[in-house]
Amino acid sequence: MSINDLPVLSALRTKMQWHQERQRVLSENVSNSDTPKFRPRDLVEPKLDRTGATVGGGVGTLPMMQTSATHMAASGAPDSFDNDRGKSGFQTRPAGNAVNLEEQMLKVSANQMDYAAVTSLYSRSLHLLKAAIGKG
């Protein structure tokens, strides 16, 4: 069994990848804050089971959604594509842009702190494993 196969390290790697992708999505929201009719997006946090594997698909997988009334609905899929679940509907500007910069920057900083915590846990776990096998 290699070190990469350990459930704890696999879960931490999945979490780090999710935080990296979320940072990309949040930065797109900020960069499009003046784009007409732009709606902010966010990622759903992956759910991990006891073994560290993702439940309900891997990182980057999205469920099928019906984005138009003329599309066929997938079984068990949401009826429509809702980027922010109605949170920013009241903050939409006349041009149709719904990005709240303060909210997005709070999400960016929280995501950055969470990523730092996960990377710290990952490096400490590796250090403990190296110490346990006598190479640290």
Side-chain angles (χ1 to χ4, degrees), residues 107-122:
K107 286 181 181 181
V108 165
S109 64
N111 188 58
Q112 182 181 6
M113 288 187 293
D114 292 343
Y115 181 79
V118 173
T119 55
S120 175
L121 282 171
Y122 188 80

Side-chain angles (χ1 to χ4, degrees), residues 47-102:
K47 293 183 178 24
L48 304 173
D49 62 8
R50 297 187 78 143
T51 64
T54 56
V55 177
V59 173
T61 61
L62 296 173
M64 291 182 63
M65 293 186 176
Q66 184 178 5
T67 59
S68 171
T70 59
H71 295 168
M72 293 175 45
S75 61
D79 291 335
S80 65
F81 185 71
D82 188 11
N83 287 330
D84 62 355
R85 289 158 181 64
K87 292 179 186 173
S88 64
F90 65 93
Q91 296 176 350
T92 303
R93 289 184 246 156
N97 188 301
V99 176
N100 180 345
L101 283 176
E102 292 84 9

Side-chain angles (χ1 to χ4, degrees), residues 28-30 32-35 38-40 88 91-93 96-102 104:
E28 285 178 2
N29 290 345
V30 171
N32 287 305
S33 64
D34 288 331
T35 304
F38 183 81
R39 301 276 183 226
S88 64
Q91 296 176 350
T92 303
R93 289 184 246 156
N97 188 301
V99 176
N100 180 345
L101 283 176
E102 292 84 9
Q104 295 302 313

